[in-house]
Amino acid sequence: MQLQSRRGVRALAISNVRWLAFAIAFVCSLALAPGALAQTGEDSAARSAQERALPIVVGVEIVGLKSYSERTVLGALGVKVGEPTSKLRVREAFKTFGIEVRKSGYEVAQGGVILKLEVAEMEVDPEAVFIGNDEYKLEKILDWAGLGERTRVYAHEAERISNRIVAGYQKQGFQFAEVVSVLGEPQEGTVVRELIFSIHEGPKVRCVGMEISGNDSLPETGYMFWKGGLRSLAKVYTKGRGPLSWWGRVFDEQQLEADLESMRKAYRDRGWLDVKVEIDELKYNAKRNRVRVFVVVDEGLLYRVNSVRIKGFAEKDGEHTDAPLTFAEKELLDLCNLKAGVPLEREMIRHDGGELAFYYGEYGYLAAESFVKQGRGVNNGEGFRFLTPEYVFLGEGNLVDVTYRLVEGRPRTVREVNFEGNIHTRDHVLRREVSVLPGELVSQRELELSRRRLTSSGYYADQSNPRHPQPKYRLVPVPEDPDLVDVIFEVEEGRNVDLRFTGGVDSNSGLVAMVSISMRNFAATALPSGIFSIFPEIYDKSAFHGNGESFSMNVSPGSEVDSASLAYTHGDVFSEHFDRTGGGFNASRRDRRFPSHDEQRDRIKVFLTHRFDQGDVSLSVGAVYQDLKFSDLDSPPLPSSLTGTPEESTFHGLSMELRVSDLDNARLPREGSFMRLGTTVYGGPLGGDNDLIKTELRYDYYAQIGSNLDELRSGIHVGLMAGVASPYGDTDQVHYGERFFGGGSSHLRGFRFRRVGPHEGQYPLGGESMVGGTLEYRIPLYSTPIPGTSLRSEVFRLNLFMDYGIYDPQAWNLDVDQLRATAGIGLGMVQPIPLAFHLGWPISSSDRDDTQVFSFQISLR
């Protein structure tokens, strides 16, 4: 590159012989020492004379410059055009600017010489500088650019960095943001240059509305949480003005494109395979800070099923060949929802694939996804696979012949059942939860039930970390025998020791504080190695851990309730694993200050529990001792059921309880059912002050509804309960402390705690008979993804509920005129802080009932 015009010409007729001889000698000296000028003479006078005789630099030719100017290079080398030649300062040029002189020489020209240089610029990372970012701080710009704390960049990164910053701005609504990068000159005395990113932010754009036309088959319906139609099905994020966003939502054009694709998918999943969803217009205002989006839909034809068939295939090395079906085609078709005449819906096809896989799984044909690669690979006929269906479109119409293609694999028998990840938990603790046994055909149902039991045990969960991995299983083919398979359950032990200092408040109990320690998967015989190692070994799970027992102790003072408790349970006393028998005890004291009276209840229970099979059904029997003390009764009038109760009473009893459960999660159930039926007989030959038989029934059913394609679905909860307390022998009426009461934040929400039902005086009599229930519709409002899975963890939910109940003061009697019912809405936080707010309104009540619209429960860790 040459920035100055060359003075002189390349061809010169030399007339001065003396001058020519000197030039030749000078050039020869350069050949001997490239890059440096020859110096002759040994005394200063001779050198001065020679310098006065040196030729003048009349021009420069430089090859290899990329970013520096010729003037910068000449200044670094100490060369000036128009002045005599001098020694090149090669080291200074390299040190200061990273310029390496590879070749140098002079060419004779008119009036002097021309300096010819070949140079190379060493790579020096420029310093990134950002200007124009008025709306966001430098930290946010660096984050968008993906630089972190790095400020030095490569010149070739400029375009990528600019694009990232633009994308970051557009995500925040700055749709017209632009970034231009310029590589600046080095600063004085340094090799470092600045890579300047000039940001033009533009206006922040908000969407004031989205109008969709042409969606005749999926029109917009409903309001708020009950919305339906295309937007709801596609989960469209681009929205206009709303109650909390009057100025409009931030507009993101990339999100809009994603929404369009989601709308196309919603149509295609429901049979409109040719649908087109496009932007019709983006209508901006004059300031370009508001936009209204117009979307047009061309639905096309709705494709319908003409016929459904099922064919079998064999698989080898990725190739599929026809194979006979093990089960009759009609038998398999009866399991399917896709029938002739219905729309070609992907959800139906997905459902049918699941049903067929589960059906085959009951006979040992396990899904290929359950296997791990052992040389042959999972896609080489190792297990059942529901291949992509075959579609045949008939003529010009909208009818389709559908063929389900199945790779059956082969039925497998269990060789071994093993566990991974149970570092501290003893093997038999896991085996008693697993109903998959060696020598039996592998059952998909039993695999899922076993996994569910392991999850519900709580040993492999961490309540403080909802993202803790859940138990899962995999199948490993046995190389020696293709008909055998090893089942491996993978678990990761959670935090089983909880030491908590908690506080809370709710409508039933007022302010409470709690100090508690609970140990799941406890082992009473796993003693620490020494007194000073107790706490470290409990923390690392090498002491008091791993045998499936449980232990808890807590103390809880409060404004209305003081309580303390101690409990221990052993799940398998005789090490039977299956059909096992466990036992335990619990002891508690509870002081409660009711408006009508104060109550102190001391209770001790010792019990044995037999679990049938893997424990889904259990039967418990136990001995109960209870002491009840009443004091500080309110002024009359009081109900006779209270005034007729002695100040202190003892209860000696035997209890029996039956439990049946198949919940998917004991703490946060979404599917399954739970039933508890318990009876306690007090008094008679057992002694005590009260002869009483008390029976209680509780049933809960949970189910998810909606599309299987949804990541987190809404659900329903149906709860039923009933109870009767019947005196016998020398006892005329049921003790006031053993009667049934309703109201508060858990049942009959909309009435004050224990202030609903037949009254006598200013307080309820309490029921000797009771029946009630609840119906809830649960809507997930917000969830977070669980890393490493396709699942999401629920955080907030909305509840719509209806409660009802009858509390009759007579045993074995239910007066329907005493029916109480409420309906309302609730907002709950599932995690990390259990929290619930309810607004309930009575829809069936009496004048004596004490209503309370708002109720709540909060627990703070």
Side-chain angles (χ1 to χ4, degrees):
M1 177 171 54
Q2 183 172 341
L3 300 180
Q4 291 181 336
S5 61
R6 187 185 308 158
R7 291 185 298 181
V9 296
R10 294 183 180 273
L12 177 64
I14 303 176
S15 58
N16 192 317
V17 177
R18 178 185 175 187
W19 172 252
L20 178 59
F22 175 79
I24 293 174
F26 183 77
V27 173
C28 291
S29 68
L30 286 178
L32 296 174
L37 295 176
Q39 297 182 1
T40 61
E42 297 181 359
D43 57 280
S44 59
R47 283 198 300 269
S48 297
Q50 183 177 353
E51 289 173 359
R52 286 195 298 270
L54 289 176
I56 304 298
V57 179
V58 296
V60 177
E61 290 182 359
I62 304 178
V63 178
L65 284 184
K66 295 180 179 179
S67 55
Y68 292 104
S69 67
E70 185 176 289
R71 177 179 296 179
T72 300
V73 176
L74 294 179
L77 293 171
V79 176
K80 292 184 179 180
V81 177
E83 293 189 2
T85 58
S86 61
K87 182 179 180 180
L88 299 179
R89 296 186 303 205
V90 177
R91 291 186 178 180
E92 288 78 0
F94 184 83
K95 180 179 179 181
T96 306
F97 296 104
I99 298 174
E100 177 186 4
V101 179
R102 294 184 173 176
K103 291 183 180 180
S104 63
Y106 289 93
E107 182 181 299
V108 178
Q110 184 178 358
V113 293
I114 297 173
L115 175 61
K116 291 188 173 185
L117 298 173
E118 180 182 329
V119 300
E121 295 182 15
M122 298 297 101
E123 291 292 336
V124 179
D125 298 342
E127 187 88 15
V129 176
F130 302 92
I131 60 175
N133 52 307
D134 300 327
E135 291 290 335
Y136 297 96
K137 294 182 179 180
L138 177 61
E139 291 79 5
K140 176 60 71 174
I141 303 298
L142 292 173
D143 180 52
W144 286 343
L147 298 178
E149 299 180 356
R150 181 165 64 101
T151 58
R152 292 286 185 89
V153 299
Y154 297 105
H156 68 267
E157 293 183 284
E159 182 177 358
R160 183 167 64 248
I161 292 173
S162 298
N163 292 338
R164 287 175 176 172
I165 296 173
V166 169
Y169 268 100
Q170 290 179 343
K171 197 73 177 173
Q172 303 302 317
F174 294 85
Q175 299 304 309
F176 303 102
E178 296 178 351
V179 179
V180 178
S181 62
V182 177
L183 188 62
E185 288 291 328
Q187 300 177 4
E188 185 92 20
T190 178
V191 299
V192 179
R193 293 173 291 169
E194 292 181 341
L195 185 56
I196 302 171
F197 293 90
S198 179
I199 302 172
H200 174 67
E201 296 177 328
K204 186 171 186 176
V205 184
R206 292 183 177 274
C207 179
V208 296
M210 174 190 275
E211 298 183 15
I212 304 175
S213 60
N215 57 322
D216 301 331
S217 300
L218 299 177
E220 306 299 324
T221 59
Y223 183 71
M224 292 185 67
F225 302 109
W226 297 272
K227 281 186 177 180
L230 180 57
R231 294 177 204 247
S232 176
L233 293 171
K235 293 186 172 67
V236 173
Y237 287 92
T238 302
K239 299 177 182 178
R241 292 190 176 103
L244 302 178
S245 55
W246 177 247
W247 300 112
R249 304 287 182 91
V250 172
F251 178 60
D252 181 358
E253 195 163 351
Q254 291 184 354
Q255 181 60 59
L256 175 59
E257 290 294 337
D259 289 337
L260 295 178
E261 185 57 36
S262 296
M263 286 187 271
R264 297 182 193 112
K265 184 176 183 298
Y267 266 102
R268 291 167 185 155
D269 287 348
R270 288 158 180 83
W272 284 273
L273 304 183
D274 301 327
V275 67
K276 296 180 180 179
V277 183
E278 304 294 343
I279 298 174
D280 188 38
E281 182 183 5
L282 296 178
K283 192 172 183 179
Y284 290 91
N285 64 352
K287 295 182 179 179
R288 298 197 305 173
N289 63 353
R290 299 290 185 271
V291 65
R292 184 174 294 275
V293 180
F294 293 87
V295 175
V296 61
V297 178
D298 181 3
E299 295 181 332
L301 292 175
L302 173 60
Y303 286 84
R304 294 184 177 276
V305 177
N306 181 63
S307 67
V308 183
R309 292 190 58 203
I310 298 179
K311 292 181 61 177
F313 289 86
E315 184 177 33
K316 185 175 182 181
D317 299 328
E319 298 292 330
H320 298 111
T321 56
D322 292 346
L325 291 170
T326 302
F327 303 99
E329 183 180 10
K330 184 180 183 305
E331 184 180 350
L332 299 177
L333 287 172
D334 289 342
L335 301 171
C336 301
N337 284 349
L338 198 71
K339 309 287 185 183
V342 304
L344 185 63
E345 294 191 9
R346 182 175 299 178
E347 183 176 346
M348 283 191 186
I349 296 173
R350 181 174 175 177
H351 166 272
D352 292 349
E355 286 295 315
L356 291 170
F358 192 82
Y359 182 80
Y360 270 86
E362 285 295 281
Y363 296 93
Y365 296 82
L366 274 300
E369 293 77 9
S370 303
F371 291 85
V372 297
K373 291 184 178 181
Q374 292 287 328
R376 287 170 287 182
V378 299
N379 293 332
N380 204 26
E382 293 293 356
F384 175 89
R385 294 186 65 210
F386 184 77
L387 302 175
T388 302
E390 179 182 279
Y391 304 104
V392 177
F393 297 87
L394 305 180
E396 299 296 330
N398 62 337
L399 296 179
V400 184
D401 286 336
V402 181
T403 301
Y404 287 159
R405 305 186 303 149
L406 311 181
V407 174
E408 294 182 335
R410 56 160 56 94
R412 304 301 180 101
T413 300
V414 179
R415 185 183 70 166
E416 293 181 353
V417 178
N418 295 312
F419 302 91
E420 292 181 357
N422 56 321
I423 301 173
H424 303 286
T425 302
R426 298 169 189 175
D427 193 71
H428 69 84
V429 175
L430 289 90
R431 292 193 181 277
R432 70 192 187 198
E433 306 293 344
V434 174
S435 53
V436 181
L437 302 177
E440 296 182 353
L441 282 175
V442 186
S443 168
Q444 188 74 49
R445 179 177 181 274
E446 296 303 327
L447 283 170
E448 285 298 322
L449 286 176
S450 300
R451 184 194 60 79
R452 183 179 291 187
R453 293 190 202 99
L454 290 171
T455 301
S456 297
S457 70
Y459 304 155
Y460 314 105
D462 188 342
Q463 295 183 11
S464 64
N465 178 21
R467 300 183 176 186
H468 184 82
Q470 298 293 312
K472 57 184 178 181
Y473 61 84
R474 71 178 192 269
L475 307 178
V476 181
V478 177
E480 299 82 11
D481 189 340
D483 294 327
L484 296 180
V485 68
D486 291 336
V487 180
I488 299 178
F489 286 90
E490 300 176 17
V491 298
E492 183 174 326
E493 301 198 34
R495 191 182 72 177
N496 297 140
V497 179
D498 290 328
L499 176 61
R500 298 185 182 180
F501 299 88
T502 66
V505 58
D506 67 43
S507 304
N508 294 351
S509 304
L511 291 168
V512 294
M514 180 182 292
V515 179
S516 68
I517 181 171
S518 62
M519 301 179 70
R520 300 179 301 278
N521 203 5
F522 182 65
T525 59
L527 302 177
S529 57
I531 189 171
F532 296 107
S533 61
I534 293 178
F535 293 106
E537 291 184 10
I538 290 177
Y539 179 79
D540 66 18
K541 303 176 184 176
S542 58
F544 296 125
H545 181 84
N547 199 40
E549 305 162 33
S550 64
F551 172 82
S552 66
M553 179 173 57
N554 73 76
V555 177
S556 176
S559 61
E560 297 181 23
V561 181
D562 300 326
S563 65
S565 66
L566 177 68
Y568 168 80
T569 302
H570 193 303
D572 189 5
V573 175
F574 303 110
S575 301
E576 296 167 310
H577 304 339
F578 303 121
D579 291 323
R580 62 188 184 275
T581 301
F585 72 89
N586 55 63
S588 63
R589 164 168 285 189
R590 189 170 184 269
D591 293 335
R592 173 80 200 220
R593 291 168 285 281
F594 294 108
S596 55
H597 66 286
D598 292 348
E599 174 187 297
Q600 177 181 302
R601 185 186 298 260
D602 296 328
R603 181 181 174 88
I604 299 175
K605 182 178 181 179
V606 180
F607 59 89
L608 289 175
T609 300
H610 183 77
R611 299 180 182 273
F612 299 90
D613 291 330
Q614 274 66 46
D616 297 335
V617 180
S618 65
L619 180 66
S620 298
V621 294
V624 181
Y625 169 82
Q626 181 173 263
D627 183 75
L628 272 176
K629 295 179 182 178
F630 281 17
S631 62
D632 196 17
L633 270 64
D634 196 10
S635 57
L638 296 173
S640 58
S641 55
L642 174 58
T643 57
T645 297
E647 292 186 359
E648 182 172 2
S649 300
T650 60
F651 295 78
H652 301 169
L654 290 176
S655 67
M656 179 178 293
E657 182 177 88
L658 174 68
R659 295 192 179 208
V660 181
S661 174
D662 65 348
L663 296 175
D664 62 335
N665 187 301
R667 179 173 173 265
L668 297 172
R670 291 188 176 88
E671 290 185 321
S673 62
F674 172 82
M675 189 275 289
R676 178 176 62 85
L677 174 62
T679 297
T680 304
V681 179
Y682 295 106
L686 302 174
D689 300 327
N690 288 264
D691 299 332
L692 171 67
I693 300 175
K694 188 173 184 178
T695 301
E696 295 179 80
L697 170 68
R698 174 84 193 199
Y699 176 79
D700 292 283
Y701 172 77
Y702 301 88
Q704 298 187 83
I705 59 177
S707 171
N708 290 327
L709 301 176
D710 294 338
E711 296 170 335
L712 202 62
R713 293 184 283 166
S714 299
I716 60 171
H717 167 221
V718 178
L720 301 173
M721 58 185 182
V724 60
S726 177
Y728 72 96
D730 297 333
T731 302
D732 296 326
Q733 70 173 18
V734 176
H735 193 285
Y736 196 74
E738 291 298 315
R739 289 174 173 260
F740 301 104
F741 294 90
S745 59
S746 56
H747 182 244
L748 283 180
R749 290 160 286 188
F751 293 105
R752 193 174 298 277
F753 179 59
R754 291 172 59 107
R755 303 298 289 273
V756 61
H759 279 57
E760 190 174 273
Q762 57 182 327
Y763 298 105
L765 284 162
E768 292 187 0
S769 299
M770 175 272 294
V771 67
T774 185
L775 175 63
E776 290 185 331
Y777 179 53
R778 301 176 170 186
I779 307 169
L781 296 181
Y782 179 73
S783 62
T784 57
I786 301 176
T789 73
S790 60
L791 305 177
R792 299 186 67 85
S793 179
E794 186 178 7
V795 179
F796 292 103
R797 72 164 57 141
L798 181 73
N799 286 347
L800 305 177
F801 65 85
M802 185 179 73
D803 298 340
Y804 68 90
I806 299 175
Y807 294 86
D808 196 294
Q810 299 297 321
W812 303 105
N813 185 65
L814 289 173
D815 185 355
V816 294
D817 292 335
Q818 299 297 330
L819 175 68
R820 304 292 192 268
T822 64
I825 187 171
L827 177 65
M829 177 186 288
V830 180
Q831 59 183 358
I833 303 173
L835 175 151
F837 297 99
H838 297 108
L839 295 174
W841 292 272
I843 55 179
S844 177
S845 62
S846 76
D847 296 337
R848 305 292 300 277
D849 296 329
D850 195 350
T851 61
Q852 178 180 291
V853 173
F854 178 68
S855 62
F856 61 94
Q857 292 175 305
I858 304 176
S859 296
L860 301 175
R861 295 185 180 182

